[in-house]
Amino acid sequence: MTSNAAHIYIISPESVTVRDCLFIGGEEKTGGILVAEEAFYQSLLDLEFENPELLGGSSGISEKCLRLLVDFCIFSDCQKNCCVFSNNQAVVVISNSWVYNCGQTGLKADEGSTLNIINSQISKCVSNCVHSDNVSSVNIRGCLITHSGVNAKKTHGYHAGLVLTGKSKGNVSKSLLKNHLSAVKVDESDLVFEENCVMDISDEGEGESFTEHGLQLEHSAIFVRRNGNVVIQRNNFHNCN
């Protein structure tokens, strides 16, 4: 993320519910929801041990897991941030929401977080629509994921509707993924992909190959490389390169 000017910056390991809200990037093109790093909680504990009069009631703070529920919300034009970015082992549930026109990755889970996306739409993201990294998990059900890699140069990286990296796990079911260079990229991670529809996957005439870490690779509907367990069953693929 190039900016931490989020609409909501969560620094407490409690249960947080955000419902019926509109998040717009505005003139600065920032915003979204940022869940603080776990290191921040440790710094609070260190501060309390050194200066107990400054903080009170934070015992056990490192043992708690933040639970964030986002329901019936719209995120738009957050060009410099992810619309929702969790990197502190939080559990995030996003339901009945719409994420679009994001300048980075639309939704991202990092550092052991769990991201559950239900009955939502994620579309028109410059990078990836959804990204899970560093031993995180993402579960997607009943969603529309469309138009990743918008206005991005393929030579600068691999863009897909869903990206799983860093020994992460993904479970996608009963969803529609369309208009991507690749619908799903799996790199050293696990994926269960069943009862989905994948359509309109193409390179838009720009050629199939691209460069990543010095390797010449190709886009495809589902791109898998290195270690990991992948299960693909009962899906419909239409108009894929």
Side-chain angles (χ1 to χ4, degrees), residues 128-143:
N128 313 300
C129 290
V130 182
H131 187 186
S132 179
D133 193 15
N134 291 326
V135 201
S136 298
S137 299
V138 59
N139 301 297
I140 300 173
R141 185 178 178 86
C143 293

Side-chain angles (χ1 to χ4, degrees), residues 15-230:
S15 294
V16 179
T17 299
V18 181
R19 181 175 285 118
D20 297 324
C21 292
L22 174 62
F23 299 90
I24 299 179
E27 294 183 0
E28 298 298 326
K29 301 297 182 182
T30 58
I33 298 177
L34 172 62
V35 180
E37 297 180 3
E38 187 176 6
F40 182 87
Y41 302 139
Q42 186 61 48
S43 68
L44 286 182
L45 289 176
D46 296 340
L47 179 62
E48 183 177 21
F49 290 145
E50 296 174 5
N51 303 280
E53 71 280 1
L54 297 181
L55 294 171
S58 63
S59 60
I61 193 170
S62 62
E63 298 178 357
K64 293 184 177 181
C65 174
L66 185 143
R67 301 182 65 87
L68 171 64
L69 171 62
V70 179
D71 191 30
F72 287 102
C73 292
I74 297 176
F75 297 83
S76 174
D77 297 304
C78 298
Q79 295 294 316
K80 296 182 180 180
N81 295 352
C82 297
C83 291
V84 178
F85 179 39
S86 173
N87 65 342
N88 79 326
Q89 301 179 4
V91 176
V92 179
V93 178
I94 299 174
S95 60
N96 308 304
S97 296
W98 185 16
V99 174
Y100 71 99
N101 199 22
C102 180
Q104 304 292 327
T105 293
L107 306 173
K108 184 172 182 179
D110 205 345
E111 298 293 344
S113 295
T114 299
L115 178 61
N116 302 295
I117 311 170
I118 307 168
N119 298 332
S120 297
Q121 177 176 337
I122 305 97
S123 58
K124 294 185 178 180
C125 298
V126 170
S127 185
N128 313 300
C129 290
V130 182
H131 187 186
S132 179
D133 193 15
N134 291 326
V135 201
S136 298
S137 299
V138 59
N139 301 297
I140 300 173
R141 185 178 178 86
C143 293
L144 171 60
I145 301 176
T146 178
H147 291 92
S148 62
V150 177
N151 298 324
K153 294 182 179 180
K154 292 187 295 177
T155 55
H156 290 173
Y158 197 105
H159 304 293
L162 169 64
V163 173
L164 302 173
T165 55
K167 298 182 179 179
S168 294
K169 295 182 179 181
N171 192 318
V172 185
S173 63
K174 302 184 185 302
S175 296
L176 171 60
L177 294 86
K178 60 179 295 187
N179 297 113
H180 303 285
L181 296 174
S182 288
V184 182
K185 173 194 175 183
V186 183
D187 190 349
E188 200 175 7
S189 299
D190 299 336
L191 170 68
V192 176
F193 193 83
E194 57 183 351
E195 298 183 353
N196 301 290
C197 180
V198 178
M199 61 186 299
D200 299 333
I201 306 299
S202 70
D203 292 278
E204 300 177 349
E206 298 179 4
E208 294 184 351
S209 63
F210 69 99
T211 301
E212 184 178 82
H213 303 304
L215 299 176
Q216 199 75 8
L217 304 173
E218 295 183 354
H219 286 93
S220 58
I222 297 181
F223 179 85
V224 181
R225 68 168 178 160
R226 296 197 288 189
N227 297 329
N229 298 315
V230 176

